[in-house]
Amino acid sequence: MSASRPVFYVSDGTGITAETIGHSLLTQFSGTDFTTHRIAFVDSTERAGEAAERIRAAGEAHGVRPIVVNSCVDPELSRLIAGSGALMLDVFEPFIAPLEQELGQSRLARVGQAHGMVDFDSYHRRIDAINFALTHDDGMSINYDDADLILVAVSRAGKTPTCVYLALHHGVSAANYPLTEEDLEHDRLPPRLRAHRGKLFGLTIDPVRLQQIRQERRPNSGYAKLETCKREVAAAEAMFRAERIPVLSTTHTSIEEIASKVMSTLGIQRGMF
Amino acid sequence: MSASRPVFYVSDGTGITAETIGHSLLTQFSGTDFTTHRIAFVDSTERAGEAAERIRAAGEAHGVRPIVVNSCVDPELSRLIAGSGALMLDVFEPFIAPLEQELGQSRLARVGQAHGMVDFDSYHRRIDAINFALTHDDGMSINYDDADLILVAVSRAGKTPTCVYLALHHGVSAANYPLTEEDLEHDRLPPRLRAHRGKLFGLTIDPVRLQQIRQERRPNSGYAKLETCKREVAAAEAMFRAERIPVLSTTHTSIEEIASKVMSTLGIQRGMF
């Protein structure tokens, strides 16, 4: 029997840092089956003790030693968690000494504001960008002058999640332009987009995949027919080529990767929230 | 002169893992001024060489040794990047040997699908949740039966960004309920929410902060008056207390923290996308 190995992302904050690096690490060990849990806001000896107990119990239940990916900054809390008997992977510890030496400065013995609100201005930029994405999601009534970039694609090719991600994590105001049947009859850019060439990025998708997505949304509609999907995608791709709009297929690409590639292609440099 | 220290998040993928841990590390050294850059998709010796050159040049321009937070899995690429002379912090390296030993298995010598599309089903869940959040953002015309949770708050207290985050990163279908003037005249739950008690979570906010946010949105409106904000927030908080709805103040809380706390309070366990 191959037992599933319990993995705990333990943090004195949200646990996002621990989960992000832990998840990346685990994907490099695909031969093992993992069961993951997040224990967030472990910011007192009491909560650390509770976490340790929960981890220890999971090890007993699974009959295998748990793995803890730990981002608690306070060594006392980490020590308590290690009392669970788990393999401890401390995500900050290996990097603190080299950084202290390089910077000639000691680390702060408290939780970093890694995902805290850094300042009012940048928070505002983030919220404004989210509101921008939501308000302009229908591609109508948009003043494209205010957009940092414009994603152009047929319906359901991945524009909306990408806009939302760009807003939430980079404070980028991303607008949509959904290509209509009428647009697709021409090989040229729709007139409303012509003044904004430098902001345009095209998304495309495998027609079979598009058909699946549309079928879930509007079963057995003309819109969801494979033939419609093939025709629309071919027309959109021809237009992108003719107009030299950069383009990316979303078929096998995560939202994060699409967002990263759009930003690097259009030369938009922004930090990450 | 205190030069700004250049930091590069270098990755063979999106750079999100490197940036997440790097950002957490840097916040523990608040005495230093950092200038951060992301170099994503470094997946060939050519791109690694270009990255090294860019990093080296930044060190010369700033007159200080750059720091590289590196998540490239291929040691050959990492070696080329180290040629820049930067302090190299490899985010995976310290954890690979202990994991290999614990799991009795070698790591895969390729990029993990950390932020890749894991499978069609989970991708669908994510997209569906985003669509749910967008469709239901106005709090109208919602079938709350389909919601995993419902955020209840006065206008501009932070419901929308939280719903979007929950959808994007946890595939949680989160709905909004914006408390209206009429709702706030009573100390009771609005009728439409009564059947959904177990899914409710209240958000509150400092009235002064709320006033700032509303003022940016609709300057000098009655809606943005400090008195209006104070009255609405007090009424909402009284209602949450009377109905024993869990509540959190968003004033000094990041979107990530709000989302984490809502999930843990309502007992919703979901992995992270």
Side-chain angles (χ1 to χ4, degrees):
Chain A
M1 190 192 105
S2 114
S4 176
R5 173 84 69 154
V7 177
F8 290 86
Y9 304 121
V10 183
S11 172
D12 43 19
T14 58
I16 291 169
T17 304
E19 187 158 350
T20 303
I21 185 164
H23 187 51
S24 295
L25 280 168
L26 298 186
T27 57
Q28 297 176 48
F29 292 91
S30 63
T32 303
D33 180 32
F34 299 103
T35 308
T36 62
H37 312 268
R38 191 201 292 203
I39 311 183
F41 307 110
V42 177
D43 51 9
S44 66
T45 53
E46 194 191 341
R47 298 212 57 185
E50 287 166 10
E53 181 48 36
R54 189 173 150 201
I55 295 160
R56 201 196 49 71
E60 278 192 4
H62 288 250
V64 62
R65 189 183 187 200
I67 294 168
V68 167
V69 182
N70 172 49
S71 70
C72 290
V73 172
D74 183 342
E76 173 62 12
L77 300 183
S78 300
R79 204 187 51 73
L80 287 168
I81 296 156
S84 64
L87 174 72
M88 292 289 287
L89 303 177
D90 187 318
V91 302
F92 295 135
E93 200 273 327
F95 310 112
I96 296 298
L99 274 173
E100 287 187 336
Q101 196 185 338
E102 180 70 33
L103 302 174
Q105 177 194 356
S106 293
R107 67 127 56 138
L108 302 172
R110 60 166 183 78
V111 186
Q113 291 294 315
H115 282 277
M117 193 184 302
V118 180
D119 62 55
F120 196 70
D121 282 352
S122 71
Y123 183 74
H124 252 298
R125 190 151 52 78
R126 187 178 193 183
I127 301 295
D128 285 349
I130 294 169
N131 288 332
F132 184 92
L134 301 203
T135 314
H136 296 151
D137 185 51
D138 59 358
M140 301 298 124
S141 65
I142 305 189
N143 185 347
Y144 283 127
D145 292 341
D146 298 335
D148 294 318
L149 62 89
I150 305 162
L151 296 180
V152 185
V154 302
S155 170
R156 295 293 134 194
K159 295 183 301 298
T160 295
T162 308
C163 284
V164 168
Y165 185 91
L166 284 165
L168 192 56
H169 290 292
H170 299 286
V172 167
S173 293
N176 280 352
Y177 186 93
L179 290 166
T180 63
E181 290 272 349
E182 197 193 324
D183 292 331
L184 294 169
E185 283 165 19
H186 312 283
D187 260 9
R188 317 298 317 179
L189 268 185
R192 290 181 58 212
L193 296 179
R194 286 180 199 157
H196 306 283
R197 256 173 197 289
K199 295 181 185 178
L200 304 183
F201 195 101
L203 298 181
T204 190
I205 186 169
D206 174 47
V208 174
R209 175 67 183 281
L210 182 61
Q211 193 270 332
Q212 289 178 299
I213 297 171
R214 289 185 173 183
Q215 176 66 20
E216 290 220 352
R217 187 137 276 256
R218 290 202 224 145
N220 307 316
S221 59
Y223 163 87
K225 277 213 176 79
L226 182 57
E227 207 179 286
T228 311
C229 295
K230 278 185 178 168
R231 192 185 63 235
E232 289 189 15
V233 167
E237 289 183 353
M239 192 267 277
F240 296 145
R241 254 193 316 273
E243 297 277 1
R244 293 206 204 92
I245 306 295
V247 62
L248 178 69
S249 168
T250 65
T251 314
H252 299 290
T253 317
S254 69
I255 299 170
E256 286 78 3
E257 285 175 298
I258 302 167
S260 269
K261 288 199 169 148
V262 169
M263 285 177 64
S264 63
T265 303
L266 297 179
I268 297 173
Q269 274 270 1
R270 291 282 174 89
M272 201 174 128
F273 287 109
Chain B
M1 191 191 105
S2 112
S4 176
R5 174 83 69 154
V7 177
F8 290 86
Y9 304 122
V10 183
S11 173
D12 44 19
T14 59
I16 291 170
T17 303
E19 187 159 350
T20 302
I21 186 165
H23 186 52
S24 294
L25 279 169
L26 298 186
T27 58
Q28 296 175 49
F29 292 91
S30 62
T32 304
D33 181 30
F34 299 103
T35 308
T36 62
H37 311 268
R38 191 200 291 204
I39 310 183
F41 307 110
V42 177
D43 50 11
S44 65
T45 54
E46 193 191 343
R47 298 213 57 185
E50 287 166 10
E53 180 47 36
R54 190 173 150 200
I55 295 160
R56 200 196 51 71
E60 278 191 4
H62 288 250
V64 62
R65 189 184 185 198
I67 294 168
V68 166
V69 182
N70 172 49
S71 69
C72 290
V73 172
D74 182 342
E76 173 63 15
L77 300 183
S78 300
R79 203 187 53 74
L80 287 168
I81 296 157
S84 64
L87 175 71
M88 292 289 287
L89 304 177
D90 187 317
V91 303
F92 295 135
E93 199 274 328
F95 310 112
I96 295 298
L99 273 173
E100 287 188 336
Q101 196 184 338
E102 180 69 33
L103 302 174
Q105 177 194 356
S106 293
R107 68 132 51 140
L108 302 173
R110 61 165 181 80
V111 186
Q113 291 296 315
H115 283 276
M117 194 182 304
V118 179
D119 62 55
F120 195 70
D121 282 352
S122 71
Y123 183 75
H124 251 297
R125 191 151 52 79
R126 188 176 192 185
I127 301 295
D128 285 348
I130 294 169
N131 288 331
F132 185 91
L134 301 202
T135 314
H136 295 152
D137 185 52
D138 60 359
M140 301 297 125
S141 65
I142 305 187
N143 185 349
Y144 283 126
D145 292 341
D146 298 334
D148 293 318
L149 61 90
I150 306 164
L151 295 180
V152 185
V154 303
S155 170
R156 293 295 134 193
K159 296 183 300 296
T160 296
T162 308
C163 284
V164 167
Y165 186 90
L166 284 164
L168 193 55
H169 290 292
H170 299 286
V172 167
S173 294
N176 279 351
Y177 186 93
L179 290 166
T180 64
E181 290 272 349
E182 197 193 323
D183 292 332
L184 293 169
E185 282 165 21
H186 312 283
D187 262 9
R188 318 298 317 179
L189 268 184
R192 290 180 57 211
L193 296 180
R194 286 184 199 154
H196 305 283
R197 254 170 200 289
K199 293 180 185 178
L200 304 183
F201 195 100
L203 298 181
T204 190
I205 186 170
D206 174 47
V208 174
R209 173 69 183 280
L210 183 60
Q211 193 269 332
Q212 288 177 300
I213 297 170
R214 289 185 172 182
Q215 176 66 19
E216 290 217 354
R217 186 136 276 253
R218 288 202 226 146
N220 306 316
S221 59
Y223 164 85
K225 277 212 177 79
L226 181 56
E227 208 179 284
T228 310
C229 294
K230 279 185 177 167
R231 192 186 62 236
E232 288 189 15
V233 168
E237 289 183 354
M239 192 266 276
F240 295 146
R241 255 193 316 274
E243 297 277 3
R244 294 205 203 92
I245 306 296
V247 62
L248 178 69
S249 168
T250 63
T251 314
H252 300 291
T253 317
S254 69
I255 299 169
E256 285 79 1
E257 285 174 300
I258 302 167
S260 270
K261 289 199 169 148
V262 169
M263 286 177 63
S264 63
T265 303
L266 296 179
I268 297 172
Q269 276 269 3
R270 293 280 175 88
M272 203 174 126
F273 287 110

